[in-house]
């Protein structure tokens, strides 16, 4: 076997070994979190063990006594190699630690918010021990994992911000959902007084919802501001912020806007029916609309400094969401029209389906026109991926709808359907989806064909290739991109993020030993490196010291 083949085999074996070891550590830590939670909750309930609690106590002891020492021994074995870990092993360590951190954070934070809201609402008499045990048990796992991921010696050198990025995404989703639920509770208490006449007093329920909203907001603020996720500019963090803070918030906002519009569309014209619809889902629609629009607007503004690629992808995703709502609305409109002519028995359901379809179609067409901008010229290359994904999804939807239509047609021919149903009434729902998908696909097929013609015309206008005996054209001058290599300890994220904002500068980081630099020191280092870059024309090697001093070495081109 040749030397390159042996090297590749060795790297594969090392990566497989790392996956197995870190996978075992993840499983052991999850089992330990479960065992600690059960053990603490049982100790809070008292030392007496009856027959019903024997099984729980045995499970708690087994999940604590066995996984705990094994997890510690495995971690001692793994951490010896983290200092000089291969990039693949460092990435595996980051993914394993981030997974444990996210699981423990979800378990401990939700249990803490449940405990606080139940204490405020006065319903924690029987369940506070279990929730307190979950908070303490999983909280210990969260605290330990966070310290290891941010320690000077064991912090991962690959994917260093994965844990806080995923934690910020979870906290953002929890904050948006909790805010919507708190607003819903307040709106129900104000506009739906019938709810206050039933069950418990409305004030504890409102205070419990506010506890969830405030706690989730604090958790999100801790990741977004204090852990500096807001300042991170790497591709992964930018896309996670875009997907959760912009696209997911946009989806919730558009669906809530369609639900709110569904309330006020006068089909049929009946004020009493509108009031019933508002009492049914009006507070939820308005609260989701406000919460989603708030987070959508804020994160849309935050994307401005994360590059044109992230902004372009977010626009295409939102236009795809809007197009899906538009196609769904058109399908429901066709369904309602077919229902109105197929059977008089559908006279009550057809207006409801038509009203929902019109609401979805209106919201979808408005935002699709805003974000896709069909009337303005666009670069054909920029939307090729969008069109390919659209055709793939459309093919799947059309195939499913066609299969349902065929199944129901053959079912009626065989004789399994009820005689009271005619064929049109039996296939109107999938037929509406099929017709709407075909109509939307026809427009995008024409758009795809037009883009192909424009690309072909652009290729024809390109300069011809030079002859073999002609002199080669001079190569264009390379872009003036400089490189700065920063040697600094772990925790220099603010320094690196500041330098990455400099246009035409490629930043590379080599981790050095030593304690984490204070924030004021990193700001001083950033200022000194920026000043040096402004006075020296070439690339630089910058070695930072713990006292804020930095030495520079000019690099050859």
């Amino acid at each position: 076997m040749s030397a390159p083949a042996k090297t590749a085999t060795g790297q594969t074996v090392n990566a497989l070994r790392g996956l197995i070891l870190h996978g075992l550590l993840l499983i052991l830590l999850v089992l330990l979190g479960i065992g600690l939670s059960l053990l603490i909750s049982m100790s809070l309930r008292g030392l007496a063990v009856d027959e019903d609690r024997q099984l729980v106590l045995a499970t708690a002891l087994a999940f604590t006594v066995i996984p705990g020492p094994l997890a510690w021994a495995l971690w001692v074995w793994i951490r010896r190699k983290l200092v000089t870990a291969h990039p693949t092993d460092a990435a595996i360590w980051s993914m394993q630690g981030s997974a444990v951190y996210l699981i423990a954070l979800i378990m401990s934070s939700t249990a803490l918010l449940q405990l606080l809201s139940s204490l405020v609402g006065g319903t924690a008499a029987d369940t506070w021990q279990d929730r307190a045990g979950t908070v303490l048990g999983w909280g210990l796992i969260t605290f330990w994992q966070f310290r290891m991921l941010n320690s000077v010696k064991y912090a991962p050198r690959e994917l260093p911000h994965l844990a806080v990025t995923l934690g910020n995404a979870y906290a953002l989703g929890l904050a948006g959902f909790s805010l919507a639920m708190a607003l819903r509770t307040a709106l129900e208490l104000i506009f739906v007084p019938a709810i206050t006449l039933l069950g418990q007093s409305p004030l504890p329920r409102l205070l419990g919802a506010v506890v969830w909203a405030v706690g989730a907001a604090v958790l999100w603020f801790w990741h977004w501001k204090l852990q500096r996720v807001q300042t991170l500019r790497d591709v992964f963090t930018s896309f996670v912020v875009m997907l959760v803070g912009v696209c997911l918030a946009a989806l919730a906002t558009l669906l809530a806007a369609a639900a709110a519009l569904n309330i006020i569309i006068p089909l049929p014209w009946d004020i009493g029916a509108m009031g019933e619809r508002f009492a049914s889902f009006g507070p939820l629609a308005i609260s989701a609309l406000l919460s989603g629009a708030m987070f959508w607007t804020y994160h849309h503004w935050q994307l401005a400094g994360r590059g044109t690629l992230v902004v372009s992808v977010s626009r295409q995703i939102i236009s795809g969401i809007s197009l899906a709502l538009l196609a769904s609305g058109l399908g429901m409109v066709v369904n309602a029209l077919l229902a109105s002519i197929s059977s008089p028995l559908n006279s009550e359901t057809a207006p409801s389906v038509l009203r929902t379809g019109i609401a979805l179609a209106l919201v979808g067409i408005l935002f699709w026109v805003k974000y896709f901008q069909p009337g303005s010229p666009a670069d054909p290359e920029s939307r090729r991926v969008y069109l390919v994904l659209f055709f793939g999804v459309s093919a799947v939807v059309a195939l499913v709808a066609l299969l349902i239509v065929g199944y129901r047609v053959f079912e009626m021919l065989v004789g399994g359907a009820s005689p009271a149903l005619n064929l049109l009434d039996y296939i109107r729902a999938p037929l509406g989806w099929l017709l709407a998908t075909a109509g939307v696909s026809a427009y995008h097929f024409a758009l795809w064909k037009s883009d192909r013609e424009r690309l072909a015309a652009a290729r024809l206008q390109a300069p011809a290739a030079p002859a073999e005996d002609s002199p080669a054209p001079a190569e264009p001058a390379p872009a003036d991109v400089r490189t700065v290599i920063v040697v600094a300890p772990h925790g220099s994220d603010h320094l690196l993020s500041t330098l990455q904002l400099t246009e035409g500068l490629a930043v590379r980081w080599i981790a050095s030993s030593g304690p984490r630099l204070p924030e004021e020191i990193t700001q001083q280092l950033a200022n000194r490196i920026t000043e040096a870059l402004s006075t020296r024309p070439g690339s630089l090697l910058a070695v930072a010291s713990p006292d804020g001093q930095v030495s520079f070495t000019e690099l050859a081109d």
Side-chain angles (χ1 to χ4, degrees):
M1 184 180 293
S2 62
K6 291 181 178 179
T7 303
T9 303
Q11 292 177 357
T12 303
V13 171
N14 290 333
L16 184 60
R17 184 188 299 116
L19 284 174
I20 294 174
L21 292 178
H22 285 281
L24 288 174
L25 182 59
L26 187 150
I27 295 173
L28 290 173
L29 289 175
V30 170
L31 294 176
L32 180 60
I34 297 173
L36 287 175
S37 301
L38 293 175
L39 196 60
I40 294 173
S41 63
M42 290 211 50
S43 62
L44 292 176
R45 289 182 179 273
L47 299 178
V49 179
D50 52 17
E51 295 182 357
D52 296 335
R53 300 174 61 188
Q54 289 179 358
L55 180 60
V56 178
L57 180 60
T59 304
L61 291 174
F63 279 29
T64 304
V65 175
I66 297 176
L70 291 178
W72 177 253
L74 186 58
W75 168 246
V76 171
W77 173 265
I78 290 175
R79 71 182 183 183
R80 296 175 181 175
K81 302 181 180 179
L82 290 181
V83 179
T84 59
H86 188 270
T88 303
D89 296 330
I92 294 173
W93 154 231
S94 179
M95 289 186 288
Q96 177 263 316
S98 301
V100 173
Y101 172 74
L102 184 62
I103 294 172
L105 180 66
I106 292 173
M107 296 297 295
S108 58
S109 60
T110 53
L112 177 61
L113 293 177
Q114 287 177 351
L115 177 61
L116 295 178
S117 62
S118 62
L119 290 175
V120 171
T123 60
D126 299 329
T127 61
W128 73 270
Q129 297 92 343
D130 296 335
R131 290 170 179 171
T134 303
V135 171
L136 296 175
W138 284 105
L140 291 174
I141 302 295
T142 306
F143 176 73
W144 178 83
Q145 191 65 73
F146 179 79
R147 287 200 60 183
M148 293 300 101
L149 289 172
N150 290 271
S151 64
V152 175
K153 192 174 182 180
Y154 305 119
R157 290 178 171 82
E158 300 293 330
L159 304 176
H161 312 301
L162 179 60
V164 292
T165 300
L166 296 179
N168 177 77
Y170 157 70
L172 175 59
L174 182 64
F177 178 79
S178 301
L179 178 60
M181 292 299 101
L183 292 175
R184 175 193 179 183
T185 304
L187 291 176
E188 285 179 346
L189 297 178
I190 296 173
F191 295 105
V192 190
I195 297 180
T196 63
L197 301 178
L198 303 175
Q200 61 177 347
S201 173
L203 184 58
R205 189 159 60 93
L206 178 60
L207 291 177
V210 171
V211 166
W212 272 89
V214 174
V218 170
L219 184 62
W220 174 62
F221 179 84
W222 185 76
H223 284 90
W224 183 248
K225 291 289 187 180
L226 301 183
Q227 296 302 312
R228 298 175 180 172
V229 177
Q230 184 183 15
T231 62
L232 300 179
R233 292 295 184 267
D234 57 282
V235 176
F236 178 78
T237 302
S238 298
F239 270 86
V240 170
V241 171
M242 179 265 294
L243 290 174
V244 179
V246 176
C247 298
L248 185 60
L251 175 61
T253 304
L254 297 185
L255 290 175
L261 190 60
N262 186 13
I263 298 174
I264 62 176
I265 292 179
L267 286 175
W269 181 262
D270 188 353
I271 300 299
M274 291 184 184
E276 293 177 357
R277 291 197 297 270
F278 180 83
S280 177
F281 56 88
L284 177 60
I286 295 175
S287 61
L289 178 62
L290 294 175
S291 177
M294 183 185 305
F295 284 98
W296 181 10
T297 304
Y298 175 76
H299 286 89
H300 179 76
W301 173 70
Q302 289 288 321
L303 288 186
R306 296 183 179 271
T308 57
L309 176 62
V310 179
V311 176
S312 176
V313 172
S314 68
R315 293 183 65 90
Q316 293 187 9
I317 292 178
I318 295 175
S319 63
I321 294 173
S322 305
L323 185 63
L325 295 181
L326 172 60
S328 302
L330 292 178
M332 297 185 74
V333 170
V334 173
N335 183 4
L337 295 178
L338 294 177
S340 62
I341 63 176
S342 62
S343 175
L345 299 177
N346 299 317
S347 58
E348 295 183 359
T349 59
S352 176
V353 176
L354 181 61
R355 185 176 59 250
T356 305
I358 291 175
L360 289 173
L362 286 177
V363 173
I365 191 65
L366 287 176
F367 284 89
W368 179 74
V369 169
K370 174 179 174 57
Y371 282 91
F372 192 74
Q373 298 177 352
S376 60
D379 183 12
E381 291 287 351
S382 64
R383 57 188 181 192
R384 292 181 66 183
V385 176
Y386 169 81
L387 291 176
V388 170
L389 290 176
F390 168 78
F391 287 131
V393 175
S394 299
V396 173
V397 174
L399 178 61
V400 172
L402 190 60
L403 287 174
I404 297 176
V405 170
Y407 168 77
R408 292 188 173 181
V409 169
F410 288 118
E411 185 182 14
M412 288 199 69
L413 293 178
V414 172
S418 173
L421 296 175
N422 55 44
L423 179 61
L424 184 59
D425 190 64
Y426 206 45
I427 65 172
R428 57 184 174 84
L431 184 60
W433 283 93
L434 184 61
L435 294 177
T437 304
V440 175
S441 299
Y443 167 79
H444 283 80
F445 178 78
L447 187 65
W448 172 75
K449 186 177 180 181
S450 174
D451 287 349
R452 289 196 62 184
E453 294 175 354
R454 291 173 58 188
L455 289 174
R459 294 191 187 99
L460 292 176
Q461 295 175 1
E468 295 182 358
D469 55 350
S470 62
E475 295 184 358
D480 188 15
V481 178
R482 304 163 63 191
T483 302
V484 57
I485 301 176
V486 180
V487 180
H490 287 287
S492 305
D493 306 333
H494 180 66
L495 171 62
L496 302 177
S497 301
T498 304
L499 295 176
Q500 287 171 353
L501 296 177
T502 305
E503 185 176 358
L505 182 65
V507 182
R508 298 180 182 177
W509 173 46
I510 299 177
S512 62
S513 60
R516 180 190 297 267
L517 297 178
E519 184 174 355
E520 59 273 9
I521 297 296
T522 58
Q523 186 60 46
Q524 294 176 11
L525 291 173
N527 296 335
R528 292 174 182 173
I529 295 176
T530 304
E531 293 175 0
L533 290 171
S534 62
T535 57
R536 306 187 186 190
S539 300
L540 293 177
L541 169 66
V543 180
S545 60
D547 58 353
Q549 301 297 323
V550 58
S551 60
F552 298 100
T553 302
E554 296 187 3
L555 303 177
D557 296 333

